[in-house]
Amino acid sequence: MGLDDRDALQVLRDAVDPENGSDTLIRDFYTHWFATDLSARDLFPPDMDVQRKVFASALAWLFGELIAQRAEEPVAFLAQLGRDHRKYGVLQSHYDTMQDALYTTLRTHLAAAWTDRLAEAARDAVALAIGVMRGAADAEQSPAYCDGTVVEHHRVTRDVSVIRLQLDQPLFYHPGQYVTVQVPQWPRRWRYLSPAIPADRSGAIEFHVRSVTGGMVSTAIVGETRPGDRWRISSPHGAMQVDRAGEDVLMVAGSTGLAPLRTLIMDMTLHGVNPRVHLFFGGRYPCDLYDLKTLWQIASTNPWLSVTPVSEYSSDPPWARDYPDVQPPRGLHVRQTGKLPEVVTRYGNWGDRQILICGGPDMVDATKAALIAKGAPPERIQHDPLTH
């Protein structure tokens, strides 16, 4: 029965599900793979904890989709993984050894329950996953990545930097998409970042990066980036967008979650007719609203754009004086005080809008939940994946 055997697929899903304690199985898979293919180990960072968790969650999701007999999204997901994995230097031979290691590990861990039906389902599921990734990687003609040089680094708040690069060749992406970036301080650790300007034919690109407590890559970017550093940037992901022929738009940005929304807004300025856009831009302190001057400049010449600044606290801490003054000239909406989800929903449920939310996972979750609780249709709400 293979992929049609839902009972067997459920056994496989339960085995890899991190909620069921699949740590040992996933660890053994990587141990077996690296032991049989020494070159595969070089594809990954020294610390594998995050990688193992992400892989276990992805496997559990994949088996769940197969159980539900849904193929379109898993195939698209696997194809994107295959294309994206090219940036690590993955070779066709790595897919062979990975397929063998994963099947062998499943068989070993499920030995007590192993049957011909389970073997067939495991073999077909693993072959499907590896085959789609392999085929997509082999068929892709575009470069796996492009390199660029840091030309400017501005520390705009205590924990936020604006970094501009000149790429060796232009990178084409849609407004609202994100990319993965590798910096020289942390080789083989790729971090998701959203460009803060639309794709530029000359190869210019800008990122807004917030240092996250415990985040090794973001902390290194904010604290250590220097002009002349060489970055590596992968192909774009994501599908967040504004339908310019659709309803008016609500945008909610927390801190550097502004970047993709700023890109969408900048792209909209190139068109003569746009839906109305109301952007809520939030931070902890007023000084965290680092890009208000740019937003003011855009809003002052584009009447379809309204910007409401939001801060949790009404005044700045003493260290704010060490960083640039973010206050724009008069003309923006009066700054509101409070948590972003609460301020946004004071104005209603925004149920007749296209809704885009960008920021940290906690903020996105809280804002989405607050809007839905007020009556906003969930299907109108867009945001990037909360875990990449």
Side-chain angles (χ1 to χ4, degrees), residues 322-365:
D322 297 331
Y323 298 94
D325 177 14
V326 304
Q327 295 304 313
R330 296 182 62 181
L332 280 178
H333 288 196
V334 175
R335 179 174 51 81
Q336 303 291 305
T337 302
K339 293 189 175 181
L340 203 46
E342 297 168 1
V343 174
V344 171
T345 51
R346 285 178 200 164
Y347 292 76
N349 67 14
W350 303 91
D352 59 345
R353 305 291 180 104
Q354 303 177 61
I355 302 172
L356 288 72
I357 310 172
C358 293
D362 291 343
M363 186 283 287
V364 172
D365 270 340

Side-chain angles (χ1 to χ4, degrees), residues 173-179 192-198 206-209 237-242 251-268 279 281 290-291 295 356-359 364 382-384 388:
Y173 51 86
H174 296 295
Q177 286 192 301
Y178 56 89
V179 298
Y192 289 94
L193 296 177
S194 295
I197 60 173
E206 176 177 314
F207 296 107
H208 299 175
V209 185
H237 303 261
M240 191 162 54
Q241 61 182 327
V242 169
M251 295 184 176
V252 185
S255 187
T256 53
L258 175 67
L261 303 182
R262 180 187 196 260
T263 304
L264 284 162
I265 289 169
M266 286 183 166
D267 181 70
M268 292 173 72
L279 167 66
F281 177 34
Y290 64 93
D291 209 34
L295 296 174
L356 288 72
I357 310 172
C358 293
V364 172
Q382 300 180 54
H383 57 80
D384 283 334
H388 296 287

Side-chain angles (χ1 to χ4, degrees), residues 79-267:
Q80 182 59 53
L81 275 183
R83 290 188 289 268
D84 196 42
H85 283 169
R86 296 177 305 139
K87 68 174 183 265
Y88 300 112
V90 173
L91 304 175
Q92 291 292 316
S93 60
H94 291 132
Y95 288 112
D96 293 329
T97 55
M98 180 185 180
Q99 181 169 343
D100 179 71
L102 183 54
Y103 178 81
T104 300
T105 303
L106 289 170
R107 184 181 62 195
T108 300
H109 274 261
L110 293 170
W114 201 251
T115 63
D116 289 344
R117 286 177 55 187
L118 196 56
E120 184 180 3
R123 184 172 56 250
D124 289 355
V126 172
L128 171 68
I130 301 299
V132 172
M133 288 192 292
R134 183 205 302 269
D138 189 50
E140 184 60 40
Q141 299 298 314
S142 65
Y145 53 79
C146 63
D147 293 334
T149 302
V150 174
V151 293
E152 294 181 56
H153 175 197
H154 301 284
R155 190 76 172 266
V156 292
T157 77
R158 185 169 64 170
D159 59 359
V160 173
S161 287
V162 172
I163 298 167
R164 299 186 178 109
L165 295 96
Q166 179 63 45
L167 302 179
D168 297 346
Q169 57 189 20
L171 176 67
F172 296 102
Y173 51 86
H174 296 295
Q177 286 192 301
Y178 56 89
V179 298
T180 52
V181 174
Q182 180 183 249
V183 300
Q185 292 85 356
W186 285 101
R188 291 185 290 166
R189 287 188 183 275
W190 293 78
R191 189 180 189 277
Y192 289 94
L193 296 177
S194 295
I197 60 173
D200 181 82
R201 292 181 180 274
S202 72
I205 196 167
E206 176 177 314
F207 296 107
H208 299 175
V209 185
R210 180 170 176 262
S211 177
V212 179
T213 302
M216 295 176 289
V217 177
S218 64
T219 300
I221 290 175
V222 172
E224 302 173 21
T225 296
R226 300 289 182 269
D229 285 356
R230 295 283 289 172
W231 286 21
R232 178 158 288 178
I233 301 171
S234 78
S235 55
H237 303 261
M240 191 162 54
Q241 61 182 327
V242 169
D243 179 2
R244 291 185 46 255
E247 299 88 348
D248 291 341
V249 183
L250 167 67
M251 295 184 176
V252 185
S255 187
T256 53
L258 175 67
L261 303 182
R262 180 187 196 260
T263 304
L264 284 162
I265 289 169
M266 286 183 166
D267 181 70

